[in-house]
Amino acid sequence: MRPSDREAEQLVQLTKTRRLATGLLVLMAVLFVVARLLQPAHPSLSFVAAFSEAAMVGALADWFAVTALFRAPLGLPIPHTAIIPRNKERIGESLAYFLKHNFITQEVIREELRPIDFSGTAAKWLARPENSRFVAKQVVGSIPAILRMIEDEDVAQFMQRRMRAAMGSVQFAPLVAEILSVLVAGRHHQVVFDHLVNLMAQLVENNSSYIRWKINENSPRWLPKAVDDRFFARLLDAMQSTLAEMREDDSEWRNRFQIAIEELIDKLRTSPEYEEKIEVVIMNVLEHPVFRNYINHIWHEIKLRLLTEVEAEDSVMLTKLTQGLHTFSVALLQDKTVQKKLNQWIRIVATDTLVERREMIADLVTRVIRKWDAETVSRKFELHVGKDLQYIRINGTLVGGLVGLVLHTVSLAL
């Protein structure tokens, strides 16, 4: 039932009981007048007059008391009337305090949540194939909207910022030193050295004609060509001899390369300058437009693949998620220990969350009541308790009449 419908129903009930209480007061007034007029001819009507008179007093007293709660009776500025409208802020604060310290407490909430089987109920519901498919469909169906809502440029900037932040906290020089140490320990750096030597030998062999042409081009015109050819042959022999020497296991070149690598590892571990240089290079790479475009391209491809997958009629993602939810729920139903732990965790989280926010909830109650005008506060309170208060008027009329009748009887007996 909506709040507006509930208030309308409460208003109807309040109107009925108020008319009943007021009608009873009018009836007692009529009885009193009639009894007093006919009493000389019929002395027994004194009992009726006494009953109706006392009933009127009780009805009027209770009418005044009930009305004084919500408004000034007859509009007269009588002290200590219109109690609720005049004290609405204090009532709001008191209500918030009462709610905070008597309802939103660890003990109350924990006790209320204790009998609820959260995990078991959820697992039982998810174990039904139609329900697990419904949940999976909702999850998968929300992906396209989320993906289309996200701007590609924003994702690229976010990923670039995250990578910059992540890289900024990493010490690269020691990391590179450790990687090189591992390679040196496994003699992989010698494989690199051999590969470089073979690469240079291949370059010399493939470009020998070019080298010969450059020698001829840069030689003086008066120098015989045979001299150029001998120079080229000696140069080529020297280069090949040097490369062959470099291939030897105990060559001076190989030893120098070993020393250079070890010195580099030591500097990477100890020199702040090397760390700074590596960091500058990496940050320049991350800031480069090419790298940003590459990130944008990767995100676009991922987004396109996801959209194509989730929007397909035979979506593998939907099928897998449905199967996963169903399997999980069935397994959870069969494992009472896990259910118990999950329920305990949910109770702890829910209790702590509510208790941590009880100040906020109490402040909300206070603020809402403070925003209401006096008439609204009075009307809402009267709608909720007014019906019972009208019964107090009815009871006061009847009880007052009975008390008056008893007192009249006792006075006659005395």
Side-chain angles (χ1 to χ4, degrees):
M1 182 182 292
R2 292 179 301 178
S4 57
D5 296 338
R6 183 177 178 83
E7 287 189 0
E9 182 181 342
Q10 289 173 332
L11 180 59
V12 171
Q13 295 175 352
L14 173 61
T15 303
K16 286 181 179 179
T17 51
R18 181 185 287 160
R19 286 175 180 173
L20 177 60
T22 304
L24 196 57
L25 171 60
V26 173
L27 177 61
M28 292 300 106
V30 172
L31 278 177
F32 175 73
V33 172
V34 171
R36 283 297 187 186
L37 291 175
L38 298 178
Q39 186 174 342
H42 303 279
S44 60
L45 288 177
S46 63
F47 291 95
V48 176
F51 177 86
S52 58
E53 181 180 12
M56 278 194 302
V57 173
L60 287 170
D62 286 340
W63 167 82
F64 183 89
V66 170
T67 304
L69 286 173
F70 307 105
R71 62 189 65 84
L74 302 177
L76 300 175
I78 303 172
H80 305 294
T81 59
I83 295 171
I84 291 176
R86 291 178 179 177
N87 296 275
K88 73 180 186 70
E89 292 193 7
R90 184 166 58 85
I91 291 172
E93 292 173 0
S94 299
L95 184 61
Y97 181 86
F98 181 78
L99 179 68
K100 182 169 64 175
H101 292 282
N102 292 277
F103 289 92
I104 313 177
T105 65
Q106 289 275 355
E107 297 76 16
V108 172
I109 297 175
R110 193 184 299 117
E111 192 61 32
E112 288 297 316
L113 296 180
R114 191 182 304 280
I116 303 176
D117 183 12
F118 296 99
S119 58
T121 304
K124 193 178 297 182
W125 186 82
L126 267 179
R128 298 178 182 177
E130 63 272 17
N131 292 336
S132 55
R133 182 169 180 81
F134 171 78
V135 174
K137 210 167 186 179
Q138 296 302 312
V139 173
V140 173
S142 64
I143 293 176
I146 296 173
L147 290 176
R148 291 191 176 96
M149 191 169 55
I150 301 173
E151 295 290 340
D152 293 349
E153 186 65 23
D154 293 339
V155 174
Q157 290 180 1
F158 172 78
M159 292 177 67
Q160 195 173 24
R161 286 196 303 268
R162 290 296 91 202
M163 291 184 70
R164 252 196 332 263
M167 294 296 184
S169 61
V170 176
Q171 295 290 322
F172 289 100
L175 179 62
V176 174
E178 292 304 319
I179 294 173
L180 289 176
S181 297
V182 173
L183 292 175
V184 170
R187 297 192 60 78
H188 296 290
H189 66 301
Q190 296 296 348
V191 176
V192 175
F193 180 81
D194 291 335
H195 180 72
L196 291 174
V197 171
N198 292 333
L199 181 62
M200 286 188 289
Q202 190 175 359
L203 285 172
V204 170
E205 183 178 352
N206 293 338
N207 294 278
S208 58
S209 58
Y210 176 76
I211 296 171
R212 183 168 189 168
W213 174 76
K214 291 297 291 182
I215 290 174
N216 290 332
E217 184 182 16
N218 290 283
S219 295
R221 294 183 180 276
W222 51 266
L223 192 69
K225 189 177 180 181
V227 175
D228 288 343
D229 292 341
R230 284 197 299 273
F231 177 74
F232 167 72
R234 289 181 179 179
L235 176 63
L236 193 63
D237 288 341
M239 293 174 65
Q240 290 175 345
S241 175
T242 302
L243 290 172
E245 181 184 343
M246 292 173 70
R247 288 192 181 94
E248 295 176 2
D249 292 338
D250 57 347
S251 69
E252 183 66 22
W253 298 93
R254 194 178 293 275
N255 292 334
R256 289 179 183 178
F257 181 71
Q258 176 75 30
I259 294 171
I261 289 293
E262 291 174 354
E263 289 178 351
L264 176 62
I265 292 174
D266 183 63
K267 288 180 179 179
L268 286 171
R269 283 175 174 164
T270 59
S271 175
E273 183 181 352
Y274 274 70
E275 174 62 37
E276 186 178 346
K277 288 180 179 178
I278 295 174
E279 185 177 350
V280 169
V281 171
I282 291 175
M283 290 304 168
N284 287 337
V285 171
L286 294 178
E287 292 288 346
H288 200 279
V290 174
F291 180 75
R292 184 166 180 168
N293 292 336
Y294 178 69
I295 293 177
N296 207 341
H297 176 72
I298 292 176
W299 164 246
H300 185 73
E301 290 292 324
I302 294 173
K303 180 179 176 180
L304 186 62
R305 286 179 180 273
L306 285 173
L307 287 173
T308 303
E309 167 59 29
V310 299
E311 291 178 347
E313 292 186 5
D314 54 343
S315 173
V316 177
M317 185 181 295
L318 176 60
T319 304
K320 293 291 185 184
L321 184 57
T322 302
Q323 293 174 350
L325 288 172
H326 180 72
T327 303
F328 170 76
S329 58
V330 171
L332 182 58
L333 275 175
Q334 297 171 352
D335 197 329
K336 298 299 181 183
T337 303
V338 175
Q339 284 186 42
K340 185 177 179 181
K341 290 182 178 179
L342 274 175
N343 285 333
Q344 185 178 3
W345 178 79
I346 292 171
R347 280 195 292 269
I348 291 172
V349 171
T351 302
D352 291 344
T353 302
L354 287 172
V355 172
E356 285 174 3
R357 287 161 177 76
R358 65 179 182 174
E359 291 286 348
M360 183 177 64
I361 297 171
D363 289 343
L364 174 64
V365 173
T366 305
R367 287 199 307 274
V368 170
I369 294 179
R370 187 180 293 129
K371 288 178 182 177
W372 290 343
D373 56 80
E375 183 181 349
T376 301
V377 174
S378 179
R379 179 177 59 82
K380 288 185 177 291
F381 272 90
E382 190 172 13
L383 283 176
H384 283 82
V385 299
K387 178 183 174 182
D388 296 321
L389 293 176
Q390 297 306 315
Y391 279 114
I392 291 177
R393 290 178 57 193
I394 294 170
N395 293 335
T397 302
L398 298 176
V399 171
L402 291 173
V403 170
L405 182 61
V406 170
L407 291 175
H408 180 69
T409 304
V410 170
S411 65
L412 291 177
L414 292 175

